[in-house]
């Protein structure tokens, strides 16, 4: 367990992971549930336990739509989407662990694509 990584994710997310009672309501409302290896309530629990490296290696961090349906559904005010975002950010910040490489972006472009999509894509990798 990397305690510094756990602290970084918790601080970055701004979420008190100890508030989660693991009821699963967040996961039940997640539109990406079937696509994810780890579901929203599992993300929160794994961050609580400090199992960040496992989450960072999972494709689940890129399957989250950040729609915040899980946030709306939580009876305790835990924000699982923010936890997923924080883990994704930690993974992206690690050198050579990028989900998207800069040379992949031109192949994704088409004339109907909004500029915001390009800006978002550029945020998905580090130099």
């Amino acid at each position: 367990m990397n305690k510094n990584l756990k602290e970084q994710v918790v601080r970055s997310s701004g979420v008190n992971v100890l508030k989660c009672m693991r009821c699963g309501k967040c996961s039940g409302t997640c539109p990406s549930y079937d696509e994810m290896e780890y579901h929203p309530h599992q993300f929160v629990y794994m961050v609580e336990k400090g199992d960040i490296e496992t989450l960072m290696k999972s494709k689940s961090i890129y399957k989250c739509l950040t729609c915040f349906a899980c946030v709306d559904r939580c009876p305790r005010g835990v924000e699982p989407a923010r936890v997923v975002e924080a883990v994704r950010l930690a993974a992206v910040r690690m050198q050579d662990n990028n989900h998207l490489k800069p040379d992949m972006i031109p192949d994704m472009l088409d004339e109907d694509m909004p500029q915001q999509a390009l800006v978002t894509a550029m945020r998905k990798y580090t130099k």
Side-chain angles (χ1 to χ4, degrees):
M1 175 172 97
N2 185 338
K3 188 174 181 179
N4 290 335
L5 190 55
K6 176 185 174 181
E7 289 173 7
Q8 175 190 340
V9 167
V10 170
R11 192 175 344 102
S12 170
S13 71
V15 172
N16 180 355
V17 293
L18 297 175
K19 287 172 49 177
C20 179
M21 60 184 181
R22 294 184 282 289
C23 66
K25 288 184 179 184
C26 58
S27 295
T29 194
C30 179
S32 296
Y33 182 89
D34 292 335
E35 304 281 325
M36 298 177 85
E37 177 182 6
Y38 300 107
H39 304 111
H41 74 283
Q42 292 171 313
F43 262 88
V44 175
Y45 181 69
M46 290 172 79
V47 168
E48 177 186 337
K49 296 299 176 198
D51 198 4
I52 312 297
E53 288 90 357
T54 302
L55 291 173
M56 290 172 69
K57 293 175 187 171
S58 171
K59 297 220 184 269
S60 293
I61 60 176
Y62 302 107
K63 299 293 183 177
C64 174
L65 301 173
T66 322
C67 66
F68 291 89
C70 56
V71 173
D72 289 339
R73 192 76 172 111
C74 180
R76 305 263 313 186
V78 179
E79 299 176 281
R82 294 198 190 281
V83 173
V84 176
E85 282 183 325
V87 172
R88 180 172 43 221
L89 182 60
V92 167
R93 285 183 173 164
M94 290 188 75
Q95 203 68 339
D96 296 327
N97 232 4
N98 299 313
H99 177 65
L100 182 64
K101 305 288 184 205
D103 57 349
M104 296 168 64
I105 295 172
D107 294 336
M108 299 173 165
L109 298 177
D110 67 32
E111 57 190 48
D112 296 327
M113 181 178 286
Q115 281 186 328
Q116 185 175 0
L118 179 60
V119 172
T120 301
M122 296 300 281
R123 291 182 187 152
K124 299 286 186 194
Y125 78 91
T126 56
K127 296 178 184 174

